[in-house]
């Protein structure tokens, strides 16, 4: 901390009293500056977490005029035994969605980054154009893609089957395809994000590595595998972790596009929690328990993510 | 990121990078990239087109590429209308005091009787997003400064805690917040939503702003302190002016997050404080979904975001990685 030393030197010339006052006021400033943030985050984020931990051990519905009744582990037990098949389905949907979309995003995002790597006239503009989807509101995007996927009025099937669009599938009504539809939209929205991170990784690779490889007559595949890939890997990892966390939270896009339909074919865990907690019977206790299970998973992944970020920061 | 090493070599000495063939390859690569970018933008362009289609054109099968532009979508999005009988319609057609919006509604045999709920909700979005942005940037700025300039016990853990709040899925936190808000009367209020969005964006703004403030050399402040400035004066007169870019970027990002937010708004508001995102899906007409109106709503909602994307393009990477990674 160089400034502490510098300050000590400057203060040594001032009267001792004044020094003490400045020391005190520095500490006060720190407190005054940090407290509002911490208090707000504790009230809005941490307190609710403990509250919902409590709720997850109770039988409670927010619309019933009955106080929460302590039932111990019954909610968790129910989720993990009797109700397991349907909940398991939600996790499978969320997992396959996460796996498919993150996988495709990595491939497409990375390829786009390779294409945009060497600058050409207007490449900055083109990059920004590609980035637009990522900034849009997911629910609005989902809603609009609903029209695009429509078998008779939408343009998606016209691209796939230009001659005879009615031969195309009904994307959102078909239980197998509906999840793919969500994956397609998610990939459309978020491949640019992966691209952005990869581009930054690529631009940081020193040219001399390639020059050395060129002198050694290394094949371009060798260069890609031994130079490009390892150098971009840390950023790619960050992109993957971030997208995985977001995929587990998948709510906005799914609600806009399908709302979990057809049946419960695209019901992700987040959508299920919403349906349990805010629709129908308002199963507050049980949905809190489910929320906690999701929370543990997300905290595990976020931990990895934040650690990776911290490492990037320190570099 | 080792930007220095990258700038140290300004020209390529590679033999394989001169001559005709590589230039042709480069042109082809550029063309492919432009083609892909345009393909990716089709949905956005299509939405823009649909917003200006008439009700019938919007759902025409096959989809219409050429159509007569109309503002019908916008009118049905923003106004409340009443169906007219044939006589009333004839009478309306005689009137001369109609503005363009009335004329458009009249073509559909309707008269405008007021603003729609959506207009109100757009206003809510604006109020909630801008107030919460100002608050989260202001609070974030103070914390970021403290974290950047002072030794704070447990600093790493605190920053970790602050960021981890951002990773929580909204659906998980909403149930207890819903109960809490209902208890203290903040459910479906502007204040409740502003507090929530402020907290939601605070972690982001602390991290992003800390990155920007870390880059401002401490020496300026130290010189000011020697000159007899107090800490606060040094903060206001020295640090703030230099952090302006960072503050601007953080503000815009926070605004977009709050502007786009859907889950909290869906579950914690019903009417008074409901924002636009959860309302767009419910813009339904009497005879099926009014796609032109939905597209108009989406377009109006997206245009600010697109403009901002261009303004922010140098900071996008920083923004989406919580300030951890800087663009070269």
């Amino acid at each position: 901390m160089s400034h502490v030393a510098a300050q000590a030197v400057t203060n040594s010339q001032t009267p001792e009293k004044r020094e003490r006052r400045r020391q005190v006021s520095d500490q006060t400033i720190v407190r005054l500056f940090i407290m509002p943030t911490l208090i707000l985050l504790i009230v809005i984020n941490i307190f609710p977490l403990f509250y919902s931990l409590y709720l997850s051990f109770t039988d409670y519905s927010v619309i019933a005029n009955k106080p929460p009744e302590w039932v111990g582990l019954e909610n968790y037990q129910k989720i993990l035994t009797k109700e397991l098949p349907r909940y398991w389905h939600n996790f499978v949907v969320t997992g396959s969605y996460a796996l498919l979309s993150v996988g495709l995003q990595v491939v497409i995002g990375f390829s786009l980054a390779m294409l945009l790597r060497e600058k050409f006239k207007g490449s900055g503009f083109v990059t920004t154009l590609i980035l637009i989807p990522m900034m849009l509101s997911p629910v609005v995007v989902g809603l609009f893609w609903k029209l695009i996927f429509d078998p008779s009025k939408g343009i998606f099937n016209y691209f796939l089957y230009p001659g005879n669009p009615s031969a195309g599938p009904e994307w959102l009504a078909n239980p197998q395809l509906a999840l793919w539809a969500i994956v397609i939209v998610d990939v459309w929205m978020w491949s640019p994000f992966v691209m952005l991170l990869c581009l930054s990784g690529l631009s940081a690779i020193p040219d001399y590595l390639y020059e050395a490889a060129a002198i050694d007559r290394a094949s371009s595949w060798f260069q890609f595998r031994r130079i490009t890939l390892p150098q971009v890997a840390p950023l790619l990892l960050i992109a993957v972790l971030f997208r995985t966390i977001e995929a587990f939270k998948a709510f906005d896009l799914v609600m806009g596009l399908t709302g979990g339909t057809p049946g419960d074919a695209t019901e992700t865990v987040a959508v299920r929690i919403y349906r349990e907690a805010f629709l129908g019977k308002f199963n507050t206790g049980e949905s809190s328990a489910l929320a906690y299970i999701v929370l543990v998973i997300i905290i595990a992944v976020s931990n990895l993510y934040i650690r990776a970020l911290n490492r990037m920061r320190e570099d | 990121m080792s930007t220095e090493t990258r700038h140290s070599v300004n020209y390529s000495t590679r033999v394989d990078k001169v001559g005709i063939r590589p230039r042709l390859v480069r042109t082809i690569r550029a063309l492919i990239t432009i083609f892909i970018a345009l393909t990716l933008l089709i949905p956005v362009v299509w939405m823009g087109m649909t917003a200006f289609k008439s009700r019938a054109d919007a759902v025409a099968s096959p989809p219409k590429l050429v159509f007569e532009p109309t503002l019908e979508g916008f009118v049905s999005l923003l106004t409340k209308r009443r169906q007219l009988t044939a006589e009333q319609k004839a009478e309306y057609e005689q009137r001369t005091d109609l503005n363009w919006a009335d004329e458009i509604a009249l073509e559909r045999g309707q008269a405008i009787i007021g603003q729609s709920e959506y207009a109100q909700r757009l206003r809510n979005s604006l109020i909630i997003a801008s107030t919460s942005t100002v608050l989260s940037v202001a609070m974030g700025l103070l914390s970021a400064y403290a974290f950047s300039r002072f030794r704070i016990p447990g600093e790493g853990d605190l920053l970790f805690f602050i960021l981890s709040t951002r990773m929580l899925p909204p659906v998980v936190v909403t149930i207890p917040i819903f109960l809490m808000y209902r208890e203290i009367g903040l459910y479906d209020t502007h204040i409740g939503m502003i507090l929530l969005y402020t907290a939601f964006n605070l972690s982001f703004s602390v991290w992003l702003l800390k990155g920007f403030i870390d880059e401002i050399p401490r020496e300026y402040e130290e010189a000011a302190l020697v000159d007899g400035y107090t800490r606060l004066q040094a903060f206001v007169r020295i640090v703030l002016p230099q952090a302006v870019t960072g503050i601007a970027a953080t503000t815009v990002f926070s605004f977009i997050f709050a502007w786009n937010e859907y889950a909290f708004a869906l579950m914690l508001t019903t009417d008074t404080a409901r924002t636009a995102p959860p309302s767009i899906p419910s813009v339904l007409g009497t005879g099926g979904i009014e796609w032109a109106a939905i597209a108009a709503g989406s377009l109006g909602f997206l245009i600010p975001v697109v403009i901002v994307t261009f303004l922010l393009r140098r900071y996008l990477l920083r923004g989406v990685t919580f300030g951890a990674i800087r663009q070269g």
Side-chain angles (χ1 to χ4, degrees):
Chain A
M1 298 257 117
S2 64
H3 76 293
V4 177
Q7 201 180 302
V9 173
T10 59
N11 282 348
S12 65
Q13 284 140 10
T14 59
E16 205 176 298
K17 217 168 92 193
R18 202 173 141 196
E19 185 189 340
R20 196 174 309 133
R21 207 175 55 205
R22 176 166 289 163
Q23 294 292 345
V24 170
S25 81
D26 271 6
Q27 255 183 25
T28 322
I29 285 177
V30 171
R31 284 209 198 99
L32 278 178
F33 278 17
I34 295 185
M35 275 310 146
T37 299
L38 291 184
I39 291 171
L40 187 68
L41 288 179
I42 288 171
V43 171
I44 301 281
N45 284 311
I46 303 307
F47 166 70
L49 282 185
F50 284 106
Y51 194 16
S52 70
L53 183 63
Y54 160 69
L55 287 174
S56 74
F57 294 116
T58 63
D59 179 16
Y60 181 52
S61 167
V62 293
I63 47 169
N65 272 327
K66 212 171 56 155
E69 186 192 330
W70 184 267
V71 293
L73 287 170
E74 200 177 284
N75 287 326
Y76 290 94
Q77 209 177 12
K78 213 163 131 196
I79 292 173
L80 295 173
T81 56
K82 204 173 98 216
E83 301 271 333
L84 187 65
R86 245 196 90 195
Y87 283 116
W88 183 244
H89 166 77
N90 300 136
F91 278 97
V92 170
V93 168
T94 313
S96 8
Y97 159 73
L99 208 67
L100 290 173
S101 59
V102 175
L104 284 171
Q105 279 159 23
V106 166
V107 174
I108 296 176
F110 192 78
S111 320
L112 281 173
M114 290 299 282
L115 274 175
L116 277 163
R117 181 180 190 188
E118 267 167 70
K119 301 230 171 342
F120 53 87
K121 223 177 184 174
S123 61
F125 183 77
V126 172
T127 313
T128 315
L129 280 185
I130 295 179
L131 290 175
I132 286 177
M134 149 185 124
M135 304 291 283
L136 305 180
S137 161
V139 63
V140 173
V141 165
L143 195 67
F144 200 78
W145 271 84
K146 210 172 170 169
L147 174 64
I148 293 178
F149 276 129
D150 191 291
S152 61
K153 308 154 205 156
I155 47 172
F156 196 74
N157 277 348
Y158 273 84
F159 277 94
L160 292 186
Y161 305 89
N164 181 18
S166 50
E170 288 195 40
W171 287 90
L172 300 176
N174 180 324
Q176 265 96 50
L177 288 177
L179 188 64
W180 275 102
I182 296 177
V183 169
I184 290 171
V185 181
D186 198 66
V187 168
W188 175 76
M189 252 189 112
W190 291 104
S191 294
F193 173 81
V194 181
M195 176 196 86
L196 189 61
L197 282 160
C198 288
L199 266 180
S200 126
L202 287 173
S203 72
I205 303 177
D207 262 350
Y208 64 77
L209 289 182
Y210 290 109
E211 279 154 23
I215 291 169
D216 290 344
R217 297 260 171 259
S219 70
S220 35
W221 168 242
F222 184 88
Q223 292 185 18
F224 175 77
R225 227 179 40 150
R226 289 301 168 91
I227 303 174
T228 315
L229 220 48
Q231 295 269 333
V232 181
L235 282 160
L236 210 52
L237 177 74
I238 285 196
V240 167
L241 283 174
F242 186 83
R243 287 311 310 152
T244 312
I245 296 172
E246 291 292 309
F248 262 91
K249 288 159 55 173
F251 183 71
D252 299 24
L253 185 63
V254 182
M255 288 298 283
L257 198 57
T258 65
T261 58
D264 56 3
T266 58
E267 194 182 57
T268 60
V269 184
V271 174
R272 178 72 192 274
I273 298 177
Y274 168 69
R275 281 180 170 180
E276 287 291 329
F278 290 95
L279 300 176
K281 283 189 292 179
F282 285 70
N283 273 327
T284 313
E286 195 177 319
S287 52
S288 297
L290 180 61
Y292 247 83
I293 295 175
V294 176
L295 195 64
V296 170
I297 299 175
I298 291 200
I299 286 177
V301 187
S302 317
N303 254 314
L304 296 174
Y305 174 72
I306 297 176
R307 264 169 232 284
L309 269 193
N310 262 332
R311 205 163 303 146
M312 296 300 298
R313 251 182 125 81
E314 277 152 24
D315 278 351
Chain B
M1 301 278 82
S2 50
T3 38
E4 295 85 343
T5 40
R6 192 162 55 84
H7 289 304
S8 62
V9 181
N10 288 327
Y11 53 90
S12 175
T13 46
R14 286 168 66 181
V15 256
D16 57 333
K17 278 203 170 173
V18 285
I20 299 278
R21 216 180 67 87
R23 255 178 67 188
L24 187 70
V25 171
R26 222 165 29 226
T27 316
I28 291 172
R29 185 202 281 255
L31 286 177
I32 292 176
T33 317
I34 292 169
F35 175 75
I36 292 176
L38 293 179
T39 316
L40 287 177
L41 280 181
I42 289 174
V44 180
V45 174
W46 188 251
M47 181 174 341
M49 284 164 69
T50 309
F52 294 99
K53 284 179 178 176
S54 70
R55 205 180 148 105
D57 283 349
V59 292
S61 175
K64 277 193 176 172
L65 268 179
V66 185
F67 59 93
E68 203 181 317
T70 156
L71 288 173
E72 201 184 307
F74 291 90
V75 171
S76 51
L77 179 74
L78 296 170
T79 62
K80 214 182 261 170
R81 295 160 317 276
R82 170 169 63 92
Q83 203 62 41
L84 297 172
T85 61
E87 299 143 40
Q88 282 171 323
K89 193 180 171 206
E91 183 205 324
Y92 259 79
E93 271 159 2
Q94 302 302 312
R95 285 168 65 166
T96 50
D97 58 336
L98 298 179
N99 63 22
W100 60 270
D102 291 319
E103 302 272 4
I104 289 171
L106 190 60
E107 275 172 38
R108 278 169 62 171
Q110 292 174 328
I112 294 170
I113 53 168
Q115 258 182 358
S116 72
E117 279 177 344
Y118 185 76
Q120 172 64 34
R121 280 157 188 188
L122 212 53
R123 200 153 46 229
N124 283 341
S125 266
L126 209 60
I127 296 170
I128 292 170
S130 48
T131 318
S132 67
T133 301
V134 170
L135 283 176
S136 61
V137 173
M139 288 164 77
L141 191 62
L142 296 181
S143 305
Y145 177 72
F147 276 117
S148 168
R149 291 301 195 253
F150 299 103
R151 216 197 303 240
I152 295 169
E155 182 177 323
D157 292 335
L158 279 177
L159 280 170
F160 189 91
F161 157 71
I162 290 176
L163 184 57
S164 66
T165 60
R166 176 63 180 238
M167 301 295 157
L168 300 175
V171 194
V172 174
V173 224
T174 331
I175 303 167
I177 290 184
F178 172 78
L179 293 170
M180 184 168 98
Y181 271 19
R182 211 177 51 168
E183 210 57 46
I184 54 179
L186 282 179
Y187 177 76
D188 198 19
T189 59
H190 289 81
I191 297 175
M193 291 312 282
I194 289 169
L195 280 179
L196 193 63
Y197 285 0
T198 306
F200 177 68
N201 269 332
L202 198 50
S203 52
F204 170 78
S205 77
V206 170
W207 270 63
L208 196 57
L209 284 167
K210 181 175 181 292
F212 279 105
I213 294 178
D214 280 343
E215 281 169 15
I216 303 171
R218 291 162 189 277
E219 285 72 24
Y220 297 130
E221 276 163 272
E222 276 152 20
L225 289 177
V226 174
D227 285 350
Y229 277 46
T230 63
R231 263 289 168 195
L232 274 179
Q233 282 171 328
F235 173 64
V236 175
R237 302 215 188 130
I238 312 288
V239 179
L240 282 190
Q242 293 194 63
V244 163
T245 337
I247 295 172
T250 314
T251 308
V252 178
F253 272 112
S254 302
F255 185 83
I256 291 186
F257 287 136
W259 181 248
N260 283 346
E261 210 288 326
Y262 166 74
F264 287 129
L266 176 72
M267 293 180 258
L268 296 174
T269 62
T270 44
D271 185 42
T272 349
R274 177 148 274 198
T275 54
S279 324
I280 296 176
S282 54
V283 185
L284 303 172
T286 38
I289 302 176
E290 287 212 37
W291 280 110
I294 289 182
S298 313
L299 186 70
F301 204 73
L302 302 185
I303 284 177
V305 178
V306 172
I307 295 172
V308 159
T309 309
F310 272 91
L311 293 179
L312 272 184
R313 62 178 182 277
R314 284 185 48 218
Y315 301 99
L316 276 180
L317 181 66
R318 250 180 125 133
V320 293
T321 59
F322 296 88
I325 301 159
R326 270 136 233 185
Q327 236 146 341

